[in-house]
Structures are given as structure tokens and as C-alpha cells.
Amino acid sequence: MTSTSAQTAPSAAFATFVVVGERTNVTGSARFRKLIKDGDYAAALEVARNQVEGGAVVLDVNMDEGLLDSEKAMVTFLNLMAAEPDIARIPVMVDSSKWSVIEAGLKCLQGRGIVNSISMKEGREAFINQARLVRRYGAAVVVMAFDEVGQADTFQRKIEICEKSYRILVDEVGFAPEDIIFDPNIFAVATGIEEHNNYGVDFIEATRWIRQNLKGAHVSGGVSNLSFSFRGNEPVREAMHTVFLYHAIQAGMDFGIVNAGQLGVYDDIDPELRELCEDVVLNRRPDATERLVDAAPRFKGDGSAKEKTADLVWRSWPVEKRLEHALVHGITEFITEDTEEARAKAERPLHVIEGPLMAGMNVVGDLFGAGKMFLPQVVKSARVMKQAVAYLMPYMEAEKAASGSTQSSSAGKILMATVKGDVHDIGKNIVGVVLACNNFEVIDLGVMVPMQKILDTAKAEKVDIIGLSGLITPSLDEMVLVAAEMERQGFDLPLLIGGATTSRIHTAVKIHPQYKASQAVYVTDASRAVGVASALLGEKRHAYVDEVRREYARLAEAHARGREDKRRLTIQEARANRPDFDWADHRPVKPSFLGVRAFDGYDLGELARYIDWTPFFSTWEMKGTYPMILDDDRYGVAARALFEDAQAMLRQMVEEKWLTARGVIGFWPANAVGDDIELYTDDSRTTRLATFHGLRQQIARDSSRSNVSISDFVAPKESGVADYVGGFAVTAGIGEDAVAARFGRANDDYSKILSQALADRLAEAFAERLHQRVRMEFWGYAPDEDLSPQALIGETYQGIRPAPGYPAQPDHTEKATLFRLLDATANAGITLTESYAMWPGAAVSGLYFSHPESHYFGVGKIERDQVVDYAARKGMSLAETERWLAPILNYDPDRVAAADAAE
């Protein structure tokens, strides 16, 4: 195993790594042993508390000492721990070599515990007996790689013992795989004995093998054993542990018995020491031990835990410069006292905002505009600004009440809303924060806002600009309606358009023509919002609007030409060019069950391992692929800081259960009938349960490529092949709105947006993980799949999960059928809005196809003949069908209707 260029902060796997606190172990901590022997249980509880505060997720408690009554000590300590809520909130690993002590400990636990450990060192029969007792207590179990011959030291011995133990526990005892934690033995490296040099690699590779082959099982180990040769040199030991964990966690190690308060950060290790440690841990060179031994004294410290000391030189600066520094660096720690000091000096509290605070935000704006600060840093700056303003607000309100003033000093008042039927607002929130940073007053109406509420609020609040946001394609139509209604009611305010599905073309072709009284302007992202708003309200606004109108006229003309230039097939021609699969030799796998299965309270820690971090950075307008973005010349510093904050919050989300993940999957007998897919109640296939309707590509092709529809991936009914289709709906957003509201009340937009972005990532990860389990377990058409999370993100597996409303099936109304089949509201807590957006917003739904040739594709633009045919198949009116398919129509329904009327 070799290191790679992606050696930055430990990967997303660190978010789910379970730190098992080791200091409540009399065999591993001299201090704890002395406290227990002296009967000083109050101080011993402090050791436990420090481990929890240091990041331990499980506490390993061991009382195996020759001069102790181990059973009594275990019972006393565990009962005392149970009375301490801040300690008792995490599980206990009852650790002993004596079964009587383990059993005494298990009887004290209030929740599920973990037994550390059992093994086959006394033979198969004793192993089975202990395993059955553990299962009777409902505990998970650590299984040592140990048999009658001894502890496993080589890779081969480790995997042989673990595989044998796994088969006994799962097949004979009935253990759930996820309740098995293997300890393949971490041994000391750099001992001077050549046979020991590969111990680190053997553990890491055994871990990788276990996670790939013993499905569901976990891997743990006592990390301090690794560095035994360097006892007394804590900085070197800590560096060795950090390097080892970096690589072991990537291989799949998800538990570790470590000193939770003394784990380092991979990137913070001295580069020379890090390389020396990696040479030893990964056995990269024959002289690795000698080189680390020679260098170790230079890194030796006093062994005390490191304390982070902040550079507080800036605290001696004048208050104006302190406020600027706090804003630029996102420091909230001193903002209240500094704001009060500035208020005491100022003639009016408003002058603090107009003076040093806005001066600081101007610096932020300049740095952001110059590309020297990035969106996450700006949002942190906004958090500082909002907290300062919140402190000043009571003073300003009192002053206004005394004077009767209603004057506003903002650069302009902007109303923002996510339109009716849409629930997504992360991008809107970011834009609002950036605008507020630049002295715009922002009124945010939230999500699913009806048109009339937007317009009534705009009038009542006398706003200067209205901003509309949306993510799903039906929102585009809603924006057109809002623009037309603004025109009808005589509004003359600029209209900003933004969101994932919006575009400059759509704004120019659809929205702009509906609103002649003023101007609709598409805003690419948050970094452009201030410039656009300032231009629309500035002295040169008329020249700016004229320029936008000329640009939109050019775009509309080019768009019309593009429609005419691209030749498309009739729907009959497109169907004749469908893929030609050999159904005679295809034997679809039948799923392990038919109907639906729900998942309630799915483990967030498990899902975190499947997060695709690249879209997370895109949310913050940082373009690049994870993990390379962490070392990017432009974004690297900001990306690492953002990632560190995300990891910290993700750990809290997982440990404190901020969110609840619920999901449902289903499988049904199915066959294709033309461009549609019929689902049946059972395998007799006599009674139709539902129909999914497909749309087909109509673009004319010059090559041998086919014109595809989702129905092509299901066996045609006339083939006689018994095929199946699956569906799913998952969310990790139950509780998301309460978390966001809590941060909103604290004027912490940064944490609010961060929590929303993480909830979205967890929902996508849930979809990814369930799809993996579908392929391997529930449908089981790829039981031997062996892919890393990175390979999963790259979609290198068999089968697809396209979603209604997205390129392969752009019709959002198909979600209604899917949700009815899954009973998704009851089974997963997900509802559909009138525009078929899912609530909670952090949700994903779609279909499952298993055919080996199935692949993702885009339907693209379609012609009227297909829309007429599709409307008839769905039993919808042509007008309603055109409304839902508006973004992909290759014709203008109004012009066609007008032409028909003229004939």
C-alpha cells in the first residue's frame, strides 16, 4: 500500500469512525488503575468524562487487575457512570478476559453494550457458548483473531480466523453481521525485528478484506499497541497513530480503541515526521525503522496533550480594526464586547453599522470579488455581522421609538422566495446572506410561497427588487406565472431569477416576454447577485436594463434558430430505432421479496461513508472534484476549512441524532408495453397494478446509436420474459427544518446552510447505499459486487436508478404513481407538494432497473406528436401535459395553438 497525492485531512470515513475511549481501562492507564485501586471513583468518572469530551463514541471499561475484585469494581463503576447523563449518553464496551466480569457488566448496562471480547482460543465449542450468551444479552461483540494456535499475526492468518468466526456467528449462532466487530490484532512495528515490519500493512489489508468479504461486519483494534516501541515519546506515538488511522480507516476500519483526547490531525503532522511514520507503518523501505529511531528524539515533547493557542495579537488593536479582523476571519468569540465598545464610542448605534461594521464587510466584499475569499468564508463573515447587528438592534429600536424615525440606511430592500410547490432554499439562503453582507435588506419568505403572498408582501414592504428561486422544473412555469401577474398588476420592480433549473435562456425566452414593465434578470450564482442588484438600483440602471434586453433578444433568436436547425424524428421513427436487446437469452433475477419494505431510523453513521463530497463543494460555489479540491491552488485553503467544519458538524449530526433517515423500497413484476412499463400485482401477471409512462428521445442520429426510453430496459410483454422493476424514496431530512431554525434564531446562517447541505448529501448517500444493498441483497442481481464508495459514486455498477423529473424521465407527475406504490408518506415520512417536489427537501426517489445494458440518458427536446401520444396514454389533457413537459418541448404550444386557430 502506498500513499497518494490525496493525503489531506482524513476522508469522509473519519466522520463515521467510532472512537473507543481507552483511558477507562486499568490495564492501559496507570492513572485510572490507581484511581480504581484507591476507590476514588469520582476522579475515575472525570477520566470517563474527559474521554467523552475528547470525542469518544464508546467507552472501553476494563477492571482486570490482580489486586482488584474485578466484578465488584466493574459493577460499581458502571452504576456510577449510569447516573452521569453526560457520560451515560454513549455506549459501553465491557472489556475483560473473564466471562464472569463481562456478564456482571452486561447486567448493569441500561442500553445495548459491546462485549470485548470473545475468540476461538479455547476452541469452537467455548466460542459458540460465549457467543450465544452475548446474543442473549442483546450486545454486539468484539471477536479477536485468535485461535488454539495463537493470535493471528500475518494477513493470511487474520482473514482465515475472521472468516471462520463470521460463518459460525452468522450461520450457527444467528448474529446479525452488523453486531460483529473483528479485531485482527494491531501489533507493534519498528521493533528492530524484521518479521514485525509488515504488521501495520497486514492489519490494513486484513481490514480491507474483511469489509469486502464479511459483509456488514466492523473492524476495530487497539491503536496504542502499534507504537509500543516509542513509549515515552508521545509526539512520535501520536503521529504514528494518526498516520496508521488515516490509512486503516480508508481501508474500512470503523472502530478504534484510542486515547480520544490525543489524536492528531493528519495535515498538522510535521511533514518530515509524517513521511518517516508512513515509511514505518506502510513498510515502504528497509531502513524505515532506523530512520524513525534516529529522528525521534528531535520530535520528543513532554507528553502532555497539545492545546490550541490562538494568535490574539489582534486583540490589542483599535476596536475598528478588531471588528474588521473578526469579520474577515469569521470570528464570533469577541463580537459582542467589541460591538459594545464601538457603540459606546459612537454617537448613534447605527453609526457602528454604517462605520466599522460596513467597512469590514466592504473588505470582505473586495476580497470576495478579487477571488481571495470564497463563499463559505463570506457566510462566516455574515454570521459575525448578523450577531453584531442583533446586539445593536434593541438600541436602534429604542432610538427609533424615541425619534419616530422610519428611515432605512440599506442599499435596497429585496424580497426573496422559493416559489409555490418548491421546497429547496439552500441557494436562496446563500444569495440572501451575500446580499445582506453588502448592506441590502433582505426579506426572506421561505419556501413554497404562493404567488399572491409574494406580490402582497412586496407591496406592503415597499421592496425594491423581487427575487424568485426554484430547483425543480415545474418551478420554471410558476416563475412565468408570477412574472405575468406582476405585469397585470402594474408592478415595475426588477425581478431576479435563480435556482438550479433556471437559466439565462429560459429567462430570456419564457419569463422576460411576460414582464415588459420592468426587467427579469437571471442571476448565475451568489457571487453575481450583488453586482446585478446594484446595477438594477444604481444611477445607470436604464443603460443596464437596455443591455440585458438586447442580450435576451439575441438569446431568444438563437434559441428559435436552434429549434429549427436540429432535425428530429417522428415518434414512430424514434420507436423504430429503439435498442435491440436479445431478450431470448435474458433471464432477469427475481427480487428476494415483492411489495415494499420500509427502513426507519437508518444509521446516519453508515450513510456518511457514502457521501459524495464534490456536490457539497458545488453548493458553496467551489468548483472542483473531491478530494483534489482540498489541494486546489485557488480553493484549497477555504475548501479544507469548510470540509473541517462539515466533518465536525457531521459527527455531531451522527452522534446526537439531529436528523432521522427514513426510506422505503419496493419491487414488482413488470413488463414493457411500448414506451410504458406495466406493473402487476403478482407473478401471475394477470392483474395490472400500475403503469409508468416513458418518453423517448427524438433527436435524429447520424450514427448507429438508438433512440432510448426507460421502457427499453424492461422485457417487452410479448417476449414472455418475467421481468421486474423496483422503486425507492428516501430522506435524511426529518428534523432538518428544526435544526436550520435553531441556527437561524442564533443568527448563524453559516451553520444553517451547512446543516442543510449536509442533510442533502446524507439523503443522496442514503439513495446510494440502499441501491447498493438492492443490487447485492434485496434484488440480489449482483451479489458479488465489490466496489469502494468512490467507485459507487462513479456509478461503475450494473443497473440504474433514474428519477421522475430528471433527464431520463422528465415528467415530475410520474412521482405520484411511485409514491402511491411505495406508500411513501406512511413508510418514509415524505410528501409531495402540488408541484411534485418532495418534502422534506433532503429527499431522493426513483426507479430501479437491473438490465445489464441499462444506462443513464437524457430524453432531450421532444416534438408535439410524442406529446399528443403521451397525453393520451396518461389520460391527461394536451394542455396539462404540455405544462408539465414545458422545459423539454421543441415547439411553442401558444404559437401552435394560434396557428391551429387561424386555419
Side-chain angles (χ1 to χ4, degrees):
M1 180 173 181
T2 57
S3 60
T4 69
S5 60
Q7 290 174 350
T8 55
S11 71
F14 254 122
T16 57
F17 179 69
V18 175
V19 175
V20 182
E22 69 173 358
R23 309 312 287 175
T24 48
N25 184 325
V26 296
T27 66
S29 168
R31 176 170 178 258
F32 185 74
R33 179 170 63 249
K34 184 177 186 304
L35 293 173
I36 296 297
K37 287 174 72 174
D38 292 345
D40 191 352
Y41 284 99
L45 286 172
E46 281 304 307
V47 174
R49 184 173 286 107
N50 289 338
Q51 290 286 281
V52 175
E53 291 173 353
V57 182
V58 175
L59 279 180
D60 181 83
V61 179
N62 183 298
M63 297 295 177
D64 286 1
E65 211 282 335
L67 298 178
L68 279 176
D69 181 339
S70 299
E71 287 183 35
K72 181 180 178 182
M74 178 69 76
V75 169
T76 302
F77 188 65
L78 291 182
N79 285 336
L80 288 170
M81 277 178 52
E84 300 289 333
D86 54 339
I87 304 173
R89 66 185 176 85
I90 70 171
V92 171
M93 180 180 283
V94 182
D95 185 356
S96 179
S97 58
K98 302 173 185 176
W99 178 255
S100 61
V101 177
I102 288 176
E103 192 163 18
L106 288 172
K107 291 176 180 178
C108 298
L109 300 184
Q110 297 176 341
R112 292 193 73 199
I114 304 171
V115 168
N116 187 11
S117 62
I118 64 173
S119 74
M120 291 198 292
K121 66 180 178 181
E122 295 177 5
R124 175 190 174 93
E125 186 176 343
F127 177 68
I128 291 175
N129 288 338
Q130 289 184 345
R132 284 176 174 157
L133 287 168
V134 172
R135 188 164 179 263
R136 185 182 303 165
Y137 281 102
V141 66
V142 175
V143 180
M144 299 294 296
F146 204 137
D147 62 11
E148 299 97 323
V149 178
Q151 282 185 284
D153 52 357
T154 65
F155 167 76
Q156 198 60 42
R157 283 266 295 148
K158 292 175 192 290
I159 66 172
E160 285 174 1
I161 295 174
C162 290
E163 182 176 29
K164 185 177 180 181
S165 303
Y166 181 85
R167 295 269 62 96
I168 292 171
L169 290 173
V170 174
D171 299 341
E172 298 183 40
V173 181
F175 254 89
E178 57 268 24
D179 286 341
I180 302 170
I181 306 165
F182 285 110
D183 185 338
N185 305 320
I186 299 174
F187 294 124
V189 294
T191 63
I193 301 172
E194 187 175 349
E195 301 88 83
H196 298 176
N197 291 348
N198 213 50
Y199 279 166
V201 176
D202 285 333
F203 181 93
I204 291 167
E205 292 307 318
T207 296
R208 195 185 315 280
W209 187 93
I210 289 167
R211 294 308 298 272
Q212 291 173 351
N213 294 279
L214 306 183
K215 302 301 183 183
H218 306 278
V219 176
S220 182
V223 178
S224 61
N225 295 342
L226 180 87
S227 62
F228 189 73
S229 300
F230 291 89
R231 59 191 183 279
N233 191 333
E234 292 306 315
V236 170
R237 296 193 74 181
E238 182 177 308
M240 291 179 71
H241 300 164
T242 303
V243 164
F244 175 80
L245 283 173
Y246 177 85
H247 293 284
I249 289 172
Q250 289 188 338
M253 181 181 180
D254 52 353
F255 280 73
I257 301 176
V258 296
N259 182 350
Q262 286 187 280
L263 266 184
V265 176
Y266 185 87
D267 264 357
D268 290 347
I269 304 171
D270 180 281
E272 180 190 358
L273 178 59
R274 183 171 61 211
E275 182 178 0
L276 290 167
C277 290
E278 286 198 315
D279 287 342
V280 167
V281 169
L282 303 179
N283 194 18
R284 295 195 299 202
R285 50 190 295 167
D287 61 345
T289 296
E290 290 79 4
R291 294 175 76 242
L292 181 56
V293 169
D294 290 344
R298 291 192 281 113
F299 298 99
K300 187 173 183 179
D302 61 6
S304 60
K306 295 194 298 288
E307 293 182 7
K308 290 186 178 179
T309 55
D311 179 5
L312 297 179
V313 172
W314 66 281
R315 298 303 302 153
S316 64
W317 300 347
V319 67
E320 294 79 8
K321 295 299 292 181
R322 296 201 305 270
L323 288 170
E324 177 187 309
H325 182 86
L327 288 162
V328 170
H329 295 279
I331 302 169
T332 58
E333 186 178 356
F334 307 99
I335 193 61
T336 299
E337 61 193 78
D338 286 352
T339 303
E340 169 56 27
E341 183 178 338
R343 187 192 70 82
K345 290 176 59 177
E347 181 180 345
R348 299 175 56 199
L350 180 61
H351 293 169
V352 179
I353 296 175
E354 294 178 334
L357 289 174
M358 280 312 303
M361 289 311 298
N362 287 338
V363 174
V364 170
D366 290 344
L367 292 171
F368 184 45
K372 296 178 180 178
M373 281 183 74
F374 301 102
L375 199 57
Q377 296 162 314
V378 172
V379 177
K380 280 186 176 179
S381 299
R383 174 170 59 183
V384 179
M385 181 72 170
K386 288 189 79 170
Q387 291 185 12
V389 171
Y391 176 80
L392 292 169
M393 193 58 69
Y395 296 100
M396 291 192 292
E397 293 295 337
E399 184 181 67
K400 278 186 179 181
S403 65
S405 172
T406 59
Q407 183 179 2
S408 171
S409 63
S410 73
K413 187 183 286 190
I414 302 179
L415 182 148
M416 300 183 68
T418 298
V419 295
K420 183 180 71 171
D422 205 326
V423 301
H424 299 86
D425 68 347
I426 296 179
K428 172 176 64 66
N429 291 342
I430 290 174
V431 171
V433 168
V434 173
L435 288 168
C437 287
N438 286 271
N439 202 30
F440 287 91
E441 182 181 347
V442 177
I443 299 171
D444 188 346
L445 295 184
V447 300
M448 295 192 291
V449 186
M451 173 172 59
Q452 201 55 51
K453 181 177 179 180
I454 293 171
L455 303 184
D456 289 346
T457 306
K459 290 177 181 177
E461 295 289 340
K462 297 181 172 59
V463 303
D464 301 301
I465 294 176
I466 295 175
L468 303 180
S469 176
L471 178 74
I472 61 174
T473 48
S475 299
L476 301 176
D477 209 33
E478 182 66 19
M479 291 176 180
V480 173
L481 294 176
V482 174
E485 186 63 14
M486 289 175 68
E487 177 82 7
R488 191 187 72 79
Q489 292 190 23
F491 277 80
D492 61 354
L493 305 177
L495 178 63
L496 302 185
I497 302 296
T501 57
T502 60
S503 66
R504 183 175 278 104
I505 287 288
H506 182 269
T507 305
V509 174
K510 294 290 187 180
I511 301 176
H512 165 67
Q514 300 295 327
Y515 188 42
K516 303 291 188 182
S518 186
Q519 183 60 48
V521 182
Y522 171 68
V523 182
T524 312
D525 52 42
S527 64
R528 307 289 200 281
V530 173
V532 172
S534 298
L536 287 169
L537 299 180
E539 294 179 359
K540 299 181 180 179
R541 58 184 174 275
H542 297 299
Y544 176 74
V545 167
D546 288 343
E547 181 184 343
V548 170
R549 286 178 175 172
R550 285 193 296 271
E551 180 194 4
Y552 283 5
R554 289 194 300 270
L555 287 171
E557 184 180 347
H559 177 69
R561 281 200 310 269
R563 275 183 169 175
E564 295 169 0
D565 292 345
K566 284 191 177 178
R567 189 175 72 84
R568 283 178 167 76
L569 304 178
T570 65
I571 187 58
Q572 290 79 12
E573 291 170 331
R575 286 169 178 162
N577 192 43
R578 72 194 312 151
D580 185 19
F581 296 138
D582 183 5
W583 294 106
D585 291 335
H586 182 61
R587 294 293 178 267
V589 174
K590 182 178 178 179
S592 64
F593 67 90
L594 297 179
V596 300
R597 179 173 298 179
F599 302 84
D600 197 0
Y602 204 96
D603 182 6
L604 294 176
E606 178 182 332
L607 299 183
R609 291 199 297 272
Y610 293 83
I611 286 179
D612 180 0
W613 287 101
T614 297
F616 170 80
F617 289 103
S618 296
T619 297
W620 294 88
E621 297 181 9
M622 302 173 78
K623 310 303 181 189
T625 302
Y626 173 84
M628 284 75 81
I629 193 172
L630 302 178
D631 287 323
D632 186 83
D633 290 342
R634 183 179 181 206
Y635 294 117
V637 173
R640 284 195 296 274
L642 174 63
F643 188 60
E644 192 174 298
D645 289 343
Q647 292 292 294
M649 182 175 285
L650 185 57
R651 278 192 291 272
Q652 276 191 284
M653 279 184 164
V654 171
E655 293 167 12
E656 299 173 14
K657 295 182 172 57
W658 289 5
L659 307 174
T660 299
R662 295 182 65 190
V664 58
I665 60 174
F667 304 107
W668 305 276
N671 283 112
V673 178
D675 289 349
D676 295 336
I677 303 168
E678 287 187 352
L679 276 60
Y680 309 104
T681 55
D682 55 42
D683 263 325
S684 70
R685 299 172 188 260
T686 55
T687 304
R688 189 172 64 187
L689 176 65
T691 301
F692 285 115
H693 301 90
L695 290 161
R696 186 170 296 279
Q697 296 171 325
Q698 285 190 268
I699 188 169
R701 302 202 183 274
D702 298 326
S703 67
S704 59
R705 292 174 60 195
S706 304
N707 291 75
V708 186
S709 169
I710 57 170
S711 64
D712 296 335
F713 304 133
V714 182
K717 192 173 185 178
E718 62 268 22
S719 71
V721 176
D723 211 342
Y724 301 87
V725 163
F728 72 96
V730 299
T731 180
I734 297 172
E736 173 191 1
D737 50 347
V739 173
R742 172 161 54 89
F743 286 124
R745 288 192 297 272
N747 293 309
D748 188 351
D749 284 318
Y750 177 72
S751 295
K752 175 183 176 181
I753 294 167
L754 189 60
S755 69
Q756 292 174 313
L758 287 173
D760 277 358
R761 289 298 91 215
L762 284 168
E764 293 287 351
F766 196 178
E768 191 71 77
R769 173 56 174 151
L770 265 192
H771 192 196
Q772 182 186 47
R773 294 189 66 186
V774 162
R775 297 190 300 273
M776 299 180 69
E777 302 174 48
F778 304 123
W779 197 333
Y781 61 80
D784 299 322
E785 179 180 286
D786 184 13
L787 299 174
S788 66
Q790 289 71 31
L792 292 175
I793 290 168
E795 298 172 351
T796 59
Y797 43 73
Q798 176 184 332
I800 58 173
R801 50 180 173 91
Y806 287 83
Q809 173 42 294
D811 183 4
H812 280 273
T813 68
E814 289 290 288
K815 285 182 199 160
T817 302
L818 176 62
F819 270 55
R820 176 174 58 81
L821 288 166
L822 295 169
D823 197 3
T825 300
N827 285 324
I830 310 171
T831 58
L832 292 175
T833 71
E834 58 193 297
S835 297
Y836 295 96
M838 291 175 287
W839 181 260
V844 186
S845 65
L847 302 176
Y848 291 133
F849 295 94
S850 67
H851 193 280
E853 298 296 328
S854 61
H855 59 274
Y856 293 104
F857 64 95
V859 168
K861 297 293 184 180
I862 60 174
E863 298 293 344
R864 191 170 187 266
D865 61 343
Q866 179 167 194
V867 178
V868 171
D869 180 271
Y870 186 76
R873 281 152 44 206
K874 282 185 69 93
M876 292 171 62
S877 70
L878 178 61
E880 185 181 7
T881 305
E882 287 176 330
R883 181 168 72 85
W884 286 109
L885 298 181
I888 63 167
L889 300 182
N890 198 48
Y891 64 95
D892 186 333
D894 292 336
R895 287 186 181 180
V896 172
D900 289 345
E903 290 180 355

